[in-house]
Amino acid sequence: MRQGRHRRGITGWAVRFCAAVLPLLLLLLGPVARASDGYSLWLGEPAPTPAANRIEAPAGSSSPTIALAMAELRRSLPRVPMPVRLVLADDPALGDEGFGLRIARSGKGQTLLITARRDIGLLYGAFALVRHVRTGGDPGELALTSRPAVPLRMLNHWDNIDGFVERGYAGRSLWDWWTLPDFVDPRYADYARANASVGINAVVLNNVNASAESLTAPYIAKTAALADVFRPYGIRVFLSARLSAPQELGGLPTADPRNPSVAAWWREKADEIYRSIPDFGGFLVKANSEGQPGPRDYGASHADGANMLAAALARHGGTVIWRAFVYADTDPTDRAKQAYAEFQPLDGRFADNVIVQVKNGPIDFQPREPAHPLFGAMPATRLAAEFQITKEYLGFATHLAYLGPLFAETLAAPTGHRPGQTVASTLSAIAGVANIGRDRDWTGSVFNQANWYVFARLAWDPSLAPEAVAREWIVQTFGAEPAVLAAVTPMMMQSREAVVDYTGPLGLAHLFATGHHYGPGPWVDDLARPEWNPVYYHRAGPSGIGFDRTATGSNAIAQYAPAIAARLARPETTPPELLLWFHHLPWDFPMPGGGTLWHELVRRYDRGVATVHAMRRRWASVRGRIDEPRWHKTDSFLAIQAREAAWWRDASLAYWMSLNHLPLPPGSAAPAHDLEWYRQQRFPHAPGNP
Ligand code: GCV
């Protein structure tokens, strides 16, 4: 007994000593990991002496893409015990972009073969081989083929030509339009390499809130310079097109897509672009949305507009990506219903080279939304899913929120329209609004790099588990130390749900402060259009909270397939995570766990804050195992996140309590300030706000 107690005492002392002194010792001895400013992303710092692998190119190849594949293997492939050979082979199973990795055995020994039908497949195969070996895979056991599930995997940059990035939190735009095309920053190639390493094959360079100037001759030349850099990496450039350009640039009296002079103007513009950029991808269009011009200005339909542009691009092999993000105050019932109402009746009316791009959920990139009802509901139309990689509504660059679970949740969501059909299986394209800027670490924080990474990995293979992707990212970014993996994996995996919990649990959404969307504003009720106000979304009052989207309310559930709609019709069969998205319920509504809705809401706010504290503790535990610059920046950001999670929780609870006059459950702390204090917070310089 005594001995046992004594031993426990020593162990306890040792643990306390280690916790206090070890990080200091590690710091004094110098960081274990090499200092990194994050520039090298998941691709790792180049080894001081490259591994002397034997790499054999396909005979007689002069392809720049194959040269890049060879260079990548020389630079990044750790030592493997056999030669690596790149082979072009006409294997239809590989598709246009796929690759195979396998071991060939002969009398002379073993060779590691990367096979593909096209040179881009060899580049993707080279990156996959490097990833496999760097994440601990055995090169001697390789036998895989991989081809992308979705043909078009794009980043959408919301970059203005003056260098401002709308909803960007990583500095100014990467594109220095001022010095292009004369100066081609080497960073453009590094960007392309990073994208190719994860299979991104298209980028839209400019903001969907587009300036017509992007289509002028000088800007076409600048775009062409970027396209030249990206081409060997398998990346096609697209431009956002402003529908009023024929008026603004061409002096035409109208931009009506049905007008022959307008169609001719676009045809000539397309010809002009293709003369400089023969593989130009096409146009992305935001029309009749948030003040952008469009066909509806003339009584024409979205299909009229898209098809007119599609005709201009078709003979060059270009594509029109037409966004379905539309809403107007002319429909007072429910903003969540408007894209479906406008686009679903147009199914089958879009040209073959049109893709309709649908946001992942029916409102606007909230921390959690149900899948958009258009997925699966337009079987005769090519669809793209649009996600936001930049964290407009998830804490900007400073909050750690790994978005793999968010992306995967939508991609795996059943549409209910056909047995086994998921959102992912309906897609011709996946687009992510980029989180990239001119910050040295590209994305404003090291963990935001993981969101670029996981977006692209899931675009290639939507069946990947977000946790597996997190682990491969961690190993490539921070190294393979088990203690780092053990601490960082749960941090990442819990992080998005934490943001949901402290900003809008149980399906609450759009509670953000006006304009910049930084911080809470659930009380905002004085903006010109009803659907701009948070009160429109939560509908909280003395007796209850939530948006009734069932038949007794806006009936938005009727836009889903019958089996899904039937489940959403009743609170008891609606997933708790989406409860208040679909239902208006009394504050004392009994929840499955036994408590009331109010208690469950508070519990989730508290859980969100507690999870951030747990993330901070985990991060503290890896001090010294991660290089100091990246450790320190993340630690500081987690401190910001902890403070702001508490702010969100306190402000929200203070507001809800001002409506329901209910006490907090026992053990739940009172908000730090009164409601008025939260209402008075102002952030005129918050980044990313146009
Ligand atoms: C590019 C939201 C954002 C806007 C963005 C818009 C869109 O409303 O706040 O900044 O505009 O979505 O997706 O078009």
Side-chain angles (χ1 to χ4, degrees):
M1 230 6 222
R2 264 179 81 96
Q3 203 186 21
R5 212 163 40 225
H6 180 65
R7 239 198 246 128
R8 271 205 301 278
I10 289 195
T11 314
W13 176 86
V15 166
R16 280 196 302 278
F17 174 81
C18 289
V21 176
L22 209 61
L24 203 66
L25 269 178
L26 285 168
L27 276 181
L28 289 175
L29 291 171
V32 174
R34 276 170 64 195
S36 165
D37 58 10
Y39 186 84
S40 60
L41 296 162
W42 51 87
L43 296 160
E45 309 286 344
T49 37
N53 291 309
R54 213 171 97 204
I55 320 277
E56 298 166 16
S61 161
S62 59
S63 151
T65 302
I66 292 178
L68 287 172
M70 301 283 293
E72 195 58 45
L73 292 169
R74 289 202 189 94
R75 165 183 177 154
S76 310
L77 184 65
R79 180 93 187 101
V80 292
M82 64 202 88
V84 179
R85 186 179 307 149
L86 282 66
V87 181
L88 283 169
D90 196 20
D91 177 356
L94 299 177
D96 282 347
E97 297 178 294
F99 57 85
L101 299 177
R102 68 182 173 86
I103 306 296
R105 295 183 173 84
S106 71
K108 283 191 242 156
Q110 297 188 336
T111 306
L112 209 162
L113 294 185
I114 305 178
T115 52
R117 282 173 97 191
R118 302 230 172 133
D119 52 3
I120 187 62
L122 291 180
L123 181 60
Y124 290 152
F127 278 117
L129 175 59
V130 170
R131 181 165 59 236
H132 178 81
V133 179
R134 286 189 60 220
T135 54
D138 179 352
E141 294 295 318
L142 265 171
L144 70 89
T145 58
S146 181
R147 54 188 285 183
V150 179
L152 202 54
R153 304 171 300 281
M154 5 172 55
L155 290 185
N156 292 183
H157 289 263
W158 286 357
D159 295 18
N160 294 348
I161 51 183
D162 65 1
F164 172 80
V165 182
E166 184 159 346
R167 311 307 175 186
Y169 312 104
R172 310 269 302 162
S173 171
L174 205 52
W175 325 129
D176 187 350
W177 293 109
W178 187 251
T179 56
L180 280 164
D182 305 281
F183 174 60
V184 178
D185 190 330
R187 194 164 180 175
Y188 303 146
D190 291 343
Y191 161 87
R193 171 178 173 242
N195 275 331
S197 77
V198 282
I200 293 292
N201 65 359
V203 299
V204 184
L205 297 175
N206 60 325
N207 193 352
V208 286
N209 291 331
S211 152
E213 213 180 330
S214 295
L215 301 174
T216 58
Y219 280 88
I220 293 172
K222 293 167 192 285
T223 299
L226 289 172
D228 289 344
V229 176
F230 299 164
R231 188 168 297 114
Y233 293 91
I235 297 169
R236 292 174 82 177
V237 296
F238 286 65
L239 288 174
S240 293
R242 184 167 166 84
L243 255 281
S244 53
Q247 291 171 293
E248 291 172 53
L249 303 180
L252 298 188
T254 177
D256 186 338
R258 296 163 303 185
N259 182 303
S261 320
V262 170
W265 188 90
W266 282 107
R267 251 194 332 271
E268 279 160 31
K269 185 51 70 182
D271 294 349
E272 181 188 350
I273 295 173
Y274 279 94
R275 277 195 292 278
S276 303
I277 312 170
D279 57 352
F280 180 65
F283 295 129
L284 171 65
V285 182
K286 172 175 177 177
N288 294 118
S289 167
E290 301 185 331
Q292 295 302 307
R296 307 292 282 149
D297 301 342
Y298 306 96
S301 74
H302 286 282
D304 293 330
N307 293 345
M308 179 277 295
L309 280 186
L313 296 170
R315 56 217 177 112
H316 302 288
T319 303
V320 173
I321 314 226
W322 193 272
R323 295 175 90 224
F325 177 65
V326 293
Y327 63 98
D329 55 355
T330 44
D331 178 352
T333 60
D334 185 355
R335 171 175 165 185
K337 290 168 62 178
Q338 295 188 25
Y340 182 101
E342 184 107 26
F343 277 83
Q344 200 285 330
L346 299 176
D347 187 31
R349 289 189 41 204
F350 290 97
D352 289 348
N353 61 331
V354 173
I355 296 178
V356 173
Q357 181 161 299
V358 181
K359 285 193 179 181
N360 60 296
I363 298 286
D364 190 11
F365 300 137
Q366 298 301 293
R368 170 165 280 117
E369 296 197 28
H372 203 295
L374 276 173
F375 296 118
M378 297 186 69
T381 305
R382 295 168 73 204
L383 293 186
E386 177 178 334
F387 295 95
Q388 207 178 35
I389 309 173
T390 190
K391 304 207 308 296
E392 174 180 357
Y393 296 104
L394 286 105
F396 295 5
T398 35
H399 291 206
L400 195 166
Y402 170 59
L403 301 181
L406 187 161
F407 302 151
E409 190 173 290
T410 302
L411 291 169
T415 68
H417 287 284
R418 285 208 220 142
Q421 187 182 57
T422 60
V423 169
S425 66
T426 67
L427 300 178
S428 297
I430 299 191
V433 179
N435 61 353
I436 299 160
R438 222 179 285 176
D439 276 8
R440 183 71 190 158
D441 66 9
W442 303 86
T443 55
S445 90
V446 64
F447 279 95
N448 287 333
Q449 299 175 355
N451 291 332
W452 178 3
Y453 184 87
V454 69
F455 166 77
R457 296 283 288 130
L458 289 172
W460 181 281
D461 181 357
S463 73
L464 290 173
E467 179 162 347
V469 179
R471 293 173 74 85
E472 72 179 39
W473 177 81
I474 294 166
V475 172
Q476 292 173 92
T477 302
F478 296 125
E481 236 200 289
V484 172
L485 260 178
V488 177
T489 311
M491 279 175 70
M492 291 174 72
M493 290 308 293
Q494 292 161 7
S495 58
R496 179 272 189 139
E497 205 58 38
V499 179
V500 170
D501 278 345
Y502 62 71
T503 61
L506 292 174
L508 291 172
H510 219 298
L511 307 177
F512 296 80
T514 305
H516 47 62
H517 301 150
Y518 168 70
W523 45 80
V524 175
D525 62 359
D526 57 355
L527 303 177
R529 282 170 53 164
E531 79 285 8
W532 286 345
N533 291 288
V535 296
Y536 170 97
Y537 295 93
H538 62 66
R539 305 199 167 201
S543 57
I545 181 168
F547 198 131
D548 182 3
R549 293 191 161 106
T550 69
T552 55
S554 77
N555 206 19
I557 62 167
Q559 294 182 337
Y560 289 93
I564 296 201
R567 276 207 301 281
L568 298 174
R570 297 174 51 232
E572 293 75 15
T573 49
T574 301
E577 289 70 32
L578 293 170
L579 193 60
L580 302 175
W581 184 283
F582 288 109
H583 301 279
H584 183 85
L585 298 172
W587 293 103
D588 62 357
F589 180 80
M591 294 295 288
T596 65
L597 171 65
W598 170 237
H599 282 195
E600 182 59 17
L601 203 59
V602 177
R603 191 182 75 79
R604 291 187 184 225
Y605 279 113
D606 285 337
R607 184 174 73 181
V609 175
T611 304
V612 178
H613 287 293
M615 285 157 57
R616 286 194 78 186
R617 287 194 297 276
R618 288 188 199 277
W619 191 247
S621 78
V622 296
R623 184 165 198 184
R625 299 179 191 277
I626 286 172
D627 58 284
E628 187 62 12
R630 288 187 299 177
W631 186 87
H632 179 72
K633 185 171 177 182
T634 303
D635 185 56
S636 308
F637 279 15
L638 284 168
I640 296 173
Q641 186 172 6
R643 189 174 69 230
E644 294 183 352
W647 167 38
W648 261 100
R649 177 240 179 231
D650 286 1
S652 307
L653 290 180
Y655 175 63
W656 305 135
M657 286 193 290
S658 78
L659 301 174
N660 65 17
H661 303 291
L662 291 170
L664 287 167
S668 191
H673 301 277
D674 63 15
L675 179 57
E676 198 45 33
W677 187 89
Y678 296 108
R679 294 174 75 119
Q680 288 312 320
Q681 301 306 305
R682 297 284 179 275
F683 304 95
H685 308 300
N689 189 24

